[in-house]
Amino acid sequence: MPRLSKSRIMSSLQCLKRVHLEINHPELARFSKSTEAAFALGHEVGDVAVQLYGGDGGVYIEYSGGSLNKALRETEQLMSSMFRTEIFEATLQHEDVLVREDILLPVVEEKGDSWRIVEVKASTKVKPEHVHDCAVQAWVHLGSGYPLSGIALAHIDNQFIYAGDGRYEGLLIEHDLTEQVFELLPAVPAWVEQARDAVDGPMPDMTVGQHCTSPYECPFLQFCWPHETRYPIMGLGGGRKKLGVWVMDGYHDIRDVPASEITSETQSRIHRVTVDGRPELLPGARAFVTQLAYPRFYLDFETVGPAIPIWAGTRPYQALPFQWSCHIERAPGEMEHEEFLDLSGEAPMRALAEAMIESLEKAGPVLMYTSYERGVIRGLAAMFPDLAGALQAIDSRLVDLHPVTKINYYHPDMLGSWSIKAVLPTIAPDMDYAVLEGIQEGTQASAAYLEAIDPKTSAERNEEIRRDLLKYCKHDTEAMVRLVQFFAGSSRPG
C-alpha cells in the first residue's frame, strides 16, 4: 500500500501535521457526525455519477484494502485495450502516490487517442481546493504514461428539480478546469515531497489556527487544541486564527487570556463570566417570557435534505420536514404534547403541514429555537400554495428563543455556544442530550430517517428508529419548555 494518496496530499496542503498523524497515528482521529455524513454523501453522489456517465456501459474498478495490485492491473488493461470504454474509479499510481479517478472517459483526437477525467463532488460549486485536487490527479495520470486531453469537475446543481421518474440527468454541472490544472502541475512534485517528508520524519511542529477547520474540519482537533483544562480556549469562540495566536502565547484556558487582549464584545462576556465562575442571568429573560400569552406552542422540526432528491418536485439539499414535535402549554403547569412522524417513504411534507396547521390552532405564540423553523414553514408555504395562508399565519406567530437566550444568559459550562444542546445541561442537567440513546443530534436524525424509509430496512429496525426519532424530537421541544420555565424563575442555573 503506498504511503501517499490524493486525499493525503490534500491533507498536507491543509496541515503537514495532519498528514503525519493520518498515517502514523490514525487512532487519534475523531470524526464528527457531519464529517461521517459527508463521506457517505460522497459515495452516494458518486454512484449516481456512474449511472449518468456510464449509461449501460463502462467498467467500475473494484478496490478494497487488499486488492490494490488487482485494481492497478485491471485499470492498465482497460486503458491499454484497443476497445476503450468509460472507466469508473480508475486506479493509478505514480511515484508512490495513488489516485482513484471518479470518471475516466475515452477521447478520440486527430493526434491520437486520449482520456478526459471528470472529478465528482457533492458540493454545489467549484472551490479552490477542488483545483488542487484535480491537479494531483492529472499529475499521477500523466506520470503513469497516459495522455490527458482535459479534466473537469462535476458538482451538484441545487436548482435541479427532480421529476420523480428515477432519472437524474441534469443533477450534475460540469466545469472545465483543464487550464487551471495544467498551470498548477509544476507545483505538484513539491507538494508530494513536502507530504513525504512530513510522513516519514518527526511530527511537524505546526501551530493551531484557522487552517484547523478550513477547507475541512480536521479529525485531530481534539489532539492538537488544548483540551486538558476545564474551560478550553476554543470556548471563547470567534476566529480560529486569533485563538491560535493565544494558544501559541501559552494560553490554554479561557481564564488564562488577559482581558486587555480581548476586543470582541461576545468574547469579553464569555471571558468575564468564566473568570467570575458564576452564570449570568439578566432580568430581560424573565421580562420576555412573562409577556408571552397562553396557549404557548413549543415547535421543533426534523428535516432531511438529500443531495439526490427522493420525491418529485424537490431540489438537492432542500430542507424537507418529515417530523415535528409540539408541547402545548394551555396555562402554567397545564401541558399537552402532539407529534407527527411519517416513515412510509412517501413524501411527508403535505400531511405534516396539514397536521401542524390543525395542532397549532389559530392563536398563541409558537416558540422555536433559532429561525430554522421559520425557514421550513416558508418552504412549505411555497410548496403548497393552497396552504400558504394558514402557514403564513403561523409564521406571524413565531417567537425565537435563541436571541433572547444569547442576550440574557450565559453559563461558563456552555463554552461559548448558545445552542440548545449547550444551554440545556446548565439549566436542567437531567435533560442533557448525552443521556439519549440512539439519536442525539439532527444529523443522526436525518440519517436514521433515510435508513427507516429504505425498503431494505427490517420492520424491527424501522420500529426502533421510530421510537428514537419520537423521543429525540420530543426532547427538543421539552428543552424549550424547561428553558422558558427557567427564565420565568421556577429554577436556577447549576
Side-chain angles (χ1 to χ4, degrees):
M1 185 68 191
R3 297 280 278 172
L4 293 177
S5 63
K6 181 190 69 173
S7 63
R8 285 170 175 165
I9 299 295
M10 293 301 295
S11 292
S12 73
L13 294 178
Q14 180 174 349
C15 175
L16 293 174
K17 188 176 181 180
R18 172 175 179 169
V19 72
H20 177 93
L21 292 170
E22 282 180 346
I23 294 181
N24 295 293
H25 297 285
E27 73 281 0
L28 298 175
R30 298 292 182 271
F31 293 98
S32 66
K33 296 297 181 185
S34 59
T35 299
E36 291 176 348
F39 290 153
L41 179 59
H43 292 304
E44 187 179 346
V45 174
D47 290 343
V48 171
V50 169
Q51 298 173 24
L52 293 177
Y53 282 91
D56 296 326
V59 178
Y60 186 94
I61 305 295
E62 297 288 347
Y63 168 66
S64 58
S67 59
L68 174 59
N69 289 335
K70 180 176 180 295
L72 290 168
R73 284 196 305 272
E74 186 175 355
T75 299
E76 182 181 9
Q77 291 168 0
L78 288 168
M79 294 183 71
S80 303
S81 172
M82 182 181 300
F83 305 101
R84 300 188 310 155
T85 186
E86 300 89 352
I87 305 174
F88 307 106
E89 299 297 335
T91 307
L92 299 173
Q93 184 175 321
H94 173 59
E95 292 191 13
D96 207 29
V97 178
L98 177 72
V99 299
R100 300 259 290 163
E101 298 175 345
D102 290 340
I103 313 288
L104 188 57
L105 304 173
V107 177
V108 177
E109 297 179 327
E110 290 185 6
K111 58 185 178 182
D113 292 344
S114 186
W115 297 92
R116 187 170 77 92
I117 300 171
V118 180
E119 174 70 2
V120 180
K121 298 295 183 184
S123 66
T124 57
K125 62 181 180 181
V126 178
K127 300 177 182 179
E129 59 268 22
H130 294 159
V131 183
H132 291 73
D133 182 300
C134 289
V136 176
Q137 290 209 47
W139 180 77
V140 171
H141 183 103
L142 292 166
S144 299
Y146 299 106
L148 182 64
S149 65
I151 185 165
L153 185 126
H155 66 75
I156 296 285
D157 177 5
N158 60 2
Q159 298 306 306
F160 168 81
I161 298 177
Y162 178 48
D165 55 2
R167 299 171 62 86
Y168 290 97
E169 288 81 1
L171 175 68
L172 298 176
I173 299 177
E174 251 195 48
H175 293 268
D176 185 79
L177 300 180
T178 306
E179 183 176 349
Q180 295 165 267
V181 165
F182 275 69
E183 287 178 356
L184 272 180
L185 278 178
V188 178
W191 300 349
V192 173
E193 190 62 30
Q194 178 179 251
R196 189 173 286 126
D197 290 345
V199 167
D200 295 337
M203 185 184 302
D205 184 16
M206 303 290 293
T207 59
V208 295
Q210 190 172 343
H211 60 275
C212 296
T213 52
S214 178
Y216 306 107
E217 181 179 282
C218 178
F220 300 99
L221 274 174
Q222 291 186 0
F223 174 76
C224 295
W225 282 84
H227 63 277
E228 71 283 351
T229 185
R230 180 170 182 182
Y231 301 116
I233 199 166
M234 284 185 73
L236 272 174
R240 295 286 193 275
K241 183 177 181 180
K242 181 62 176 177
L243 294 177
V245 170
W246 282 329
V247 171
M248 191 165 54
D249 289 342
Y251 307 139
H252 288 189
D253 191 287
I254 291 173
R255 297 166 295 183
D256 295 339
V257 183
S260 59
E261 292 193 20
I262 302 174
T263 56
S264 160
E265 184 178 341
T266 299
Q267 287 182 327
S268 292
R269 181 186 178 199
I270 293 168
H271 181 268
R272 173 176 53 78
V273 175
T274 304
V275 169
D276 182 64
R278 292 175 297 176
E280 177 181 77
L281 178 61
L282 302 179
R286 187 174 190 279
F288 176 84
V289 300
T290 54
Q291 55 83 34
L292 293 173
Y294 290 94
R296 299 170 177 175
F297 300 85
Y298 301 81
L299 178 67
D300 180 74
F301 290 112
E302 297 305 328
T303 63
V304 64
I308 301 168
I310 300 172
W311 302 295
T314 63
R315 303 186 311 276
Y317 296 117
Q318 184 177 358
L320 303 170
F322 60 85
Q323 177 182 13
W324 55 256
S325 168
C326 185
H327 274 79
I328 305 171
E329 190 175 11
R330 300 285 176 192
E334 185 182 329
M335 197 72 66
E336 303 170 10
H337 179 255
E338 296 190 14
E339 59 194 2
F340 175 94
L341 174 61
D342 180 0
L343 297 183
S344 68
E346 299 296 323
M349 293 81 74
R350 184 176 183 91
L352 175 145
E354 291 173 341
M356 180 182 65
I357 290 168
E358 182 177 352
S359 291
L360 295 184
E361 303 172 4
K362 301 292 185 182
V366 180
L367 286 82
M368 59 185 181
Y369 201 85
T370 76
S371 60
Y372 190 75
E373 273 61 34
R374 189 184 301 278
V376 172
I377 289 172
R378 290 180 178 179
L380 289 170
M383 198 177 301
F384 306 113
D386 59 315
L387 302 179
L391 290 166
Q392 289 163 0
I394 293 172
D395 187 340
S396 69
R397 295 159 53 197
L398 291 172
V399 177
D400 190 352
L401 291 172
H402 179 265
V404 178
T405 305
K406 188 164 186 178
I407 292 169
N408 292 284
Y409 180 65
Y410 186 73
H411 190 293
D413 290 346
M414 287 160 53
L415 294 176
S417 172
W418 278 269
S419 73
I420 193 69
K421 291 175 176 60
V423 172
L424 191 60
T426 71
I427 65 169
D430 59 303
M431 284 198 66
D432 192 330
Y433 280 77
V435 304
L436 290 176
E437 295 181 2
I439 298 173
Q440 298 178 340
E441 48 89 36
T443 303
Q444 289 178 306
S446 298
Y449 171 77
L450 292 175
E451 180 186 354
I453 66 173
D454 188 327
K456 297 189 293 292
T457 301
S458 68
E460 293 77 13
R461 175 59 180 154
N462 187 287
E463 185 56 32
E464 180 184 5
I465 291 173
R466 177 183 296 278
R467 290 194 301 268
D468 287 344
L469 283 171
L470 291 174
K471 186 185 302 182
Y472 171 71
C473 199
K474 183 178 181 181
H475 196 87
D476 276 341
T477 51
E478 187 178 351
M480 287 190 282
V481 172
R482 296 289 290 272
L483 181 61
V484 167
Q485 290 173 346
F486 167 67
F487 284 164
S490 57
S491 60
R492 304 302 302 168

